[in-house]
Amino acid sequence: MTAAAPRRSAGLLLFRRTGDGPQVLLGHMGGPYFARKDAGAWTVPKGEYGPGETAWDAARREFEEELGLAPPDGEAIALGEVRQAGGKTVTAWAVEADLDPASVVPGTFAMEWPPRSGRVQEFPELDRVAWFGLERAREVIVTAQAAFLDRLAEHSV
């Protein structure tokens, strides 16, 4: 039996400078499991990729798939990798850009819901996106991804 390839995701963390300090754009994970959760339910817009694609290309593709908008141009700040509790390794880059959350048109996914009902429903990948100051972002982001916020702050944004 062969071992499954490790799951890898890549994403872009948008940030903007404000009079109150930097803000980051996070997405609230869609679907019924996260509907009533706040802490740990927000994420860097990201997605999985396989061996035939670079992490950078996947990050840009996933940004467009998840938000329905072209990824912004600009200098990319490498934020490295983190390993999430489920074993997935996530690679991220920060890009300075502004975006109106109301302009987002999220991609969707299908799943059986309720479980064992035989009914397949479609849900948004991200059911909403919002700008957060770094401290508030630390309170709501997936735990392992908080390291991306720390690394961004080290770049004196």
Side-chain angles (χ1 to χ4, degrees):
M1 179 182 282
T2 60
R7 294 181 352 175
R8 301 186 62 79
S9 282
L12 297 180
L13 178 63
L14 264 55
F15 72 95
R16 65 183 182 185
R17 300 166 204 262
T18 72
D20 295 327
Q23 293 183 332
V24 293
L25 185 77
L26 300 178
H28 186 271
M29 291 182 272
Y33 297 121
F34 298 99
R36 292 181 173 84
K37 294 181 181 167
D38 196 43
W42 292 81
T43 183
V44 172
K46 62 171 182 43
E48 291 190 16
Y49 66 99
E53 186 175 25
T54 68
W56 173 248
D57 288 341
R60 293 180 56 79
R61 174 183 53 76
E62 285 292 336
F63 184 92
E64 189 157 0
E65 286 179 12
E66 295 216 344
L67 301 182
L69 302 169
D73 292 324
E75 179 188 353
I77 300 168
L79 299 177
E81 295 182 344
V82 298
R83 188 176 178 93
Q84 295 186 165
K88 182 186 293 184
T89 299
V90 180
T91 305
W93 288 266
V95 177
E96 186 171 3
D98 203 354
L99 178 152
D100 177 0
S103 67
V104 170
V105 181
T108 60
F109 68 97
M111 67 180 281
E112 182 181 11
W113 189 259
R116 297 177 294 285
S117 67
R119 288 191 359 213
V120 175
Q121 294 188 47
E122 205 164 278
F123 298 96
E125 294 273 355
L126 300 173
D127 58 22
R128 61 192 181 275
V129 297
W131 289 100
F132 292 92
L134 294 181
E135 289 309 311
R136 178 69 178 131
R138 280 186 189 88
E139 296 171 4
V140 299
I141 198 168
V142 171
T143 304
Q145 293 180 26
F148 294 141
L149 304 175
D150 297 337
R151 294 170 191 166
L152 177 62
E154 290 171 7
H155 278 82
S156 301
V157 299

